[in-house]
């Protein structure tokens, strides 16, 4: 399997889960006016990005998991690299990381959620 045919390629490059060509999001995650907004359909293959109303509510669970993983990673980094840091320093760093990373976590959780349900089609034939 080629790299471009993997779900990881779609997630990391924020591409359509079906064809891996078209853009999934309207803008980048830190364009806060459009953060997490997806196209209604793929610009390349014209397939819909939503199965039903409220489809992306499940992405909240993925976002939560990403937030917990990042929080644990920051805590471990402080524990290993700066063990003398106080509790408030570590807690403040975790909160700052979560606040700064929130738009990225949100967008990443939506593309991961979409890749759980939409699968790459090698033929890439447009469907409605």
């Amino acid at each position: 399997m080629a790299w471009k045919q993997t779900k990881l390629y779609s997630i990391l490059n924020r591409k359509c889960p079906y064809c891996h060509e078209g853009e999934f999001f309207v803008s980048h995650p830190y364009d806060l006016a459009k953060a997490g907004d997806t196209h209604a359909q793929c610009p390349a293959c014209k397939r819909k990005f939503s199965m039903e109303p409220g489809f992306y509510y499940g992405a909240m669970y993925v976002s939560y998991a990403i937030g917990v993983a990042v929080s644990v990673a920051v805590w471990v980094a402080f524990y290993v690299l700066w063990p003398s840091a106080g509790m408030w320093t570590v807690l403040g760093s975790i909160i700052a990381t979560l606040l700064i990373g929130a738009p990225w976590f949100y967008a990443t959780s939506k593309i991961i959620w979409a890749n759980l349900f939409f699968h790459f089609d090698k033929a890439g034939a447009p469907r409605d």
Side-chain angles (χ1 to χ4, degrees):
M1 177 179 282
W3 161 245
K4 194 171 180 184
Q5 296 177 358
T6 64
K7 290 184 181 289
L8 190 59
Y9 175 85
S10 172
I11 292 167
L12 294 177
N13 293 300
R14 302 187 188 291
K15 297 291 184 181
C16 168
Y18 293 117
C19 68
H20 294 190
E21 293 292 329
E23 294 295 324
F24 187 74
F25 293 104
V26 173
S27 186
H28 60 85
Y30 288 95
D31 179 3
L32 298 181
K34 299 176 185 171
D37 289 351
T38 62
H39 292 286
Q41 63 184 17
C42 175
C45 69
K46 306 297 184 214
R47 293 187 190 175
K48 289 177 156 182
F49 285 146
S50 184
M51 296 174 121
E52 60 189 12
F55 173 71
Y56 289 104
Y57 285 147
M60 290 187 297
Y61 297 105
V62 177
S63 182
Y64 176 75
I66 292 170
V68 169
V70 168
S71 298
V72 169
V74 170
W75 180 78
V76 168
F78 267 93
Y79 183 74
V80 170
L81 300 174
W82 192 18
S84 63
M87 178 187 70
W88 293 109
T89 303
V90 175
L91 185 61
S93 298
I94 290 171
I95 291 170
T97 303
L98 291 176
L99 286 174
I100 292 169
W104 185 83
F105 301 155
Y106 177 59
T108 302
S109 68
K110 284 182 91 169
I111 189 75
I112 290 171
W113 188 255
N115 272 280
L116 290 174
F117 293 95
F118 306 140
H119 303 291
F120 178 72
D121 182 10
K122 189 181 271 190
R127 293 184 196 161
D128 289 338

